Structure formats: structure tokens, C-alpha cells
Amino acid sequence: MAAINADLSVNGYTFEDIQTLAKEILKHTSLRPKIALICGTGLGGIAEVVENPITVPYESIPGFPVSTVEGHSGNFVFGTLGGKQVLLMRGRLHYYEGYPMWKVAMPVRVMKAMGIETLLLTNAAGGLNPKYNTGDLMIIKDHIDLPGLTGECVLIGKNDTRFGPRFIATNATYDHDLRSKFKQVVLELGYGNILQEGVYIMIGGPTFSSAAEARVLRMFGADAVGMSTVPESVVGRHSGMRIFGVSLISDMVDMEDGSKFLVTHEDVLKTANERALLMQKVFVKFIHLID
Ligand SMILES: O=P(O)(O)O[C@H]1O[C@H](CO)[C@@H](O)[C@H]1O
């Protein structure tokens, strides 16, 4: 296998590095999926319903970073879901783990090099919209890239146009057709009462928001807050992929001064666990409907 050069001036991984990683991963399977799903915190259970799974641990891929967060196991899983070939990323990389932004989203470039055309993003997020409840599913209709707005956009650095153009529009990132298909599936399964559609804001983490910060995020127009997803969707968009995202509202963010409720990662995992079966059912039917 060729060496990974990781040239920092071109966002760490060169175009050739990405092709090398893709080829290395594809050696494990003859499947060539066009749909990929990134599993959010505690949402890796979706991989358990993948038929004839082929698991490729990140640590078996030379030059690939590992996931360090509980609830993210660190494997690619190839197989069939809803009658379609799929690639699952079970274990994402986060900025707060100490990875630079370009590394956080690098797997999306590898996916593109493997032939992925549609990227499905899932995450656990804190609810900011007072109408939401813990356990709700929020289709992402738009995002706020808070790190990007403050100088940490994932696309910063020299641009190699083989990945995508220097400047890209990020409005209308989340595909309308996929959003309505997902809505249809959740309604058909009888879960319309927990379905929301809203704006996701990314913070760097790993601190959960203070009450004053949470009020600011709400004032910005965000409905849910998390520490992921946006770099992946921006890189997916940059490379011309169709994007869909959904947040599981794992906790309601406290905005009251002096409140005694202190959210923990265990709370987030608990909600994800409670919704694991539903997420499996929804994604099997949803993926079945994707062209
Ligand atoms: O966004 P995902 O990976 O689902 O995880 C969310 O849950 C973790 C906090 O409990 C953070 O990593 C946050 O981003």
C-alpha cells in the first residue's frame, strides 16, 4: 500500500491519500454501495439489522483515525439494508477529540472515492426548541456552522478541485425529496407525534452548553444543538453528494439560570438506546425508498 502523505497545506489528506484509503477498504468486499449512513452517538444499533454484514475496523485500515468516544465503536459495515447495498460508518470522529476539522470529515471524502452518492447523517442532539421533547426525531432542514462562522470551517486550506470547487453554496444542503421520504416513513410507522423538522447548530464541544450559551443558540434560530454532523455535510456537499440528516433529541437543553439538571453523556446514550429499535425500523423502510 502507498504511504499516506497527509500534507497539511491541502487539508491533511491529499487526493491520492483518499484514493488509497478507499481502495484499501474496498479490498474487503465486492459490494459497491451508493448510500452511506454515519451513525450518531448510541445509534450504531442500526448496523445490527444490516444483512450479510462485512465489518472493517478503522484500526485495520493503515492511516485511518480511530474513534475515541463511548457509543462509537469504530467500524465500517458493508451489507444490505431495505434491499439496498449500504455502507455504515459506526463511530464518527469529533472535533473535541482533538482531531482537526479536516480529519473529522475525511471519511466522507473516502466514501465519495468509494462511490457513495447519498449521505445519511444521524446524531444525538440537545433540544433547544421549547416545543420539542426528549426522544423526538428532528429532520435537519438547515444547519448553523458555528465553528465555521468563527474561522474553523472544514474547507479551510488549499483547495484541490478534484475534491470540489473552492467556494460552495451551503443553503439547500438537506435534500427535499429525502426529507419528505423520511417524513412519510415515520408517519406510516405511526410516530408522527415525535417528528420535528428544524435547524441544527454545531458547537465544538466537549462542554454541553451553559444556560446563557443555550439562550444565545436559540436566539440564533437553532432548534437543536450537537457537536458533529456539519463538517460531514459540508464536505459531502462539496463533493457533490445528496445529503440527509436527522437528530435524535437525546435531552432538552436547560436554559434556566440556577437549574439543578446537569446533562451527561449517559443521558444521551440512554435516549439513543430507548430509540434504537425505532431507528432500525425507520432506516430499513427509508433506505428502501431511496433511488
Ligand atoms: O453528534 P453525535 O456523534 O451523535 O454525538 C453527540 O453526543 C455526544 C455528547 O453526548 C457528542 O458527541 C454529541 O455531538
Side-chain angles (χ1 to χ4, degrees), residues 92-158:
R92 62 153 50 97
L93 310 170
H94 301 85
Y95 183 67
Y96 62 75
E97 292 175 74
Y99 295 121
M101 216 50 108
W102 52 260
K103 205 167 208 176
V104 166
M106 171 280 281
V108 175
R109 286 192 168 158
V110 177
M111 287 175 178
K112 174 72 181 179
M114 289 195 277
I116 299 299
E117 294 171 356
T118 301
L119 180 62
L120 312 178
L121 300 164
T122 65
N123 62 52
L128 295 165
N129 185 326
K131 296 201 177 112
Y132 289 7
N133 291 298
T134 298
D136 283 357
L137 295 183
M138 185 193 84
I139 296 172
I140 302 177
K141 66 175 180 189
D142 202 350
H143 70 226
I144 301 171
D145 182 0
L146 200 54
L149 292 177
T150 52
E152 278 285 347
C153 176
V154 65
L155 295 179
I156 280 185
K158 205 196 289 177

Side-chain angles (χ1 to χ4, degrees), residues 144-193:
I144 301 171
D145 182 0
L146 200 54
L149 292 177
T150 52
E152 278 285 347
C153 176
V154 65
L155 295 179
I156 280 185
K158 205 196 289 177
N159 188 60
D160 183 334
T161 52
R162 289 173 294 176
F163 287 129
R166 169 74 290 182
F167 300 102
I168 58 157
T170 60
N171 62 318
T173 290
Y174 299 92
D175 188 87
H176 269 274
D177 180 52
L178 293 176
R179 279 158 56 189
S180 63
K181 285 192 165 116
F182 189 88
K183 214 176 289 178
Q184 180 192 328
V185 167
V186 175
L187 293 177
E188 276 172 15
L189 286 170
Y191 284 92
N193 58 322

Side-chain angles (χ1 to χ4, degrees), residues 40-41 72 92 94 96 123-124 208 227-228 265 268:
T41 289
H72 290 265
R92 62 153 50 97
H94 301 85
Y96 62 75
N123 62 52
F208 292 112
M227 308 169 194
S228 71
H265 188 56
V268 173

Side-chain angles (χ1 to χ4, degrees), residues 38-43 69-72 91-94 96-97 122-126 200 202-206 208 225-229 232 246-248 250-251 263-269:
I38 300 186
C39 302
T41 289
L43 298 173
V69 187
E70 193 192 340
H72 290 265
R92 62 153 50 97
L93 310 170
H94 301 85
Y96 62 75
E97 292 175 74
T122 65
N123 62 52
Y200 176 90
M202 181 197 178
I203 57 170
F208 292 112
V225 54
M227 308 169 194
S228 71
T229 304
E232 296 153 358
V246 62
S247 297
L248 168 63
S250 55
D251 53 281
V263 69
T264 65
H265 188 56
E266 286 62 43
D267 296 326
V268 173
L269 288 168

Side-chain angles (χ1 to χ4, degrees), residues 240-283:
M241 288 177 178
R242 198 159 57 135
I243 313 284
F244 171 81
V246 62
S247 297
L248 168 63
I249 304 301
S250 55
D251 53 281
M252 285 302 293
V253 179
D254 212 316
M255 300 190 196
E256 301 294 325
D257 290 324
S259 162
K260 298 250 176 339
F261 172 67
L262 303 178
V263 69
T264 65
H265 188 56
E266 286 62 43
D267 296 326
V268 173
L269 288 168
K270 181 168 174 283
T271 311
N273 202 31
E274 284 162 4
R275 285 284 182 239
L277 268 180
L278 175 63
M279 291 300 264
Q280 287 174 348
K281 276 197 236 166
V282 169
F283 271 92

Side-chain angles (χ1 to χ4, degrees), residues 26 31-36 78-79 85-87 114-117:
L26 289 179
L31 297 180
R32 293 294 178 264
K34 296 198 182 323
I35 302 170
F78 289 85
Q85 288 188 13
V86 288
L87 165 61
M114 289 195 277
I116 299 299
E117 294 171 356

